[in-house]
Amino acid sequence: MPDSGSQVLSLTGLRFAANLGILAHELNTPQPIQVDAELNLGPQPLAPRDDDIRHVLDYRKVRQIVIDECTARHVNLLESLVGKLCTRLLQLPGVLGVRVRIVKLEIFDDCEVAIRMEAGDW
């Protein structure tokens, strides 16, 4: 029987406003976005060595990093923001790879626009 497995931490549907875009109204007003992120943590024990949050990647911190990186300053391009977020998440201890998807929820009346980027090892 195996004692470890490949672990992926996922945050899905995280919605908040970010300073993002090049249109006149986007330069002055934060835009609603949705972020989905997957973090490849590689091989992990099937159960942590104990039930202590200090021995695993704390997803509360990951959530806050996503929000902080996306709201720190105005970014013109969705492509720039997704790359910035991937770079930051790859710096977390034990993270081997990331997949990040950012959706601009209200850019058009008839659709949303999303960019997805994958970096690191999968």
Side-chain angles (χ1 to χ4, degrees):
M1 177 176 257
D3 59 353
S4 67
S6 183
Q7 190 175 78
V8 174
L9 172 65
S10 297
L11 293 175
T12 58
L14 181 57
R15 291 176 179 239
F16 54 94
N19 297 316
L20 172 67
I22 60 170
L23 302 176
H25 72 279
E26 294 174 327
L27 296 172
N28 300 317
T29 307
Q31 301 300 302
I33 65 170
Q34 177 178 309
V35 178
D36 299 316
E38 293 180 300
L39 286 68
N40 178 8
L41 304 177
Q44 299 290 319
L46 290 180
R49 66 179 185 220
D50 57 30
D51 205 25
D52 190 330
I53 190 71
R54 292 174 294 173
H55 299 134
V56 297
L57 182 58
D58 187 341
Y59 46 82
R60 297 170 301 175
K61 291 179 182 177
V62 174
R63 176 188 171 274
Q64 194 60 54
I65 287 169
V66 169
I67 293 169
D68 290 348
E69 287 294 319
C70 291
T71 58
R73 63 177 181 84
H74 184 88
V75 177
N76 287 334
L77 301 175
L78 195 53
E79 292 84 351
S80 298
L81 185 57
V82 76
K84 176 183 167 192
L85 186 52
C86 283
T87 299
R88 177 62 180 96
L89 292 174
L90 280 169
Q91 295 171 358
L92 290 170
V95 174
L96 304 177
V98 296
R99 290 180 177 137
V100 175
R101 180 176 184 259
I102 302 177
V103 182
K104 286 185 78 172
L105 297 169
E106 296 178 6
I107 187 169
F108 300 115
D109 291 336
D110 58 353
C111 68
E112 299 171 347
V113 173
I115 295 287
R116 183 172 188 259
M117 182 170 276
E118 181 175 307
D121 295 330
W122 286 92

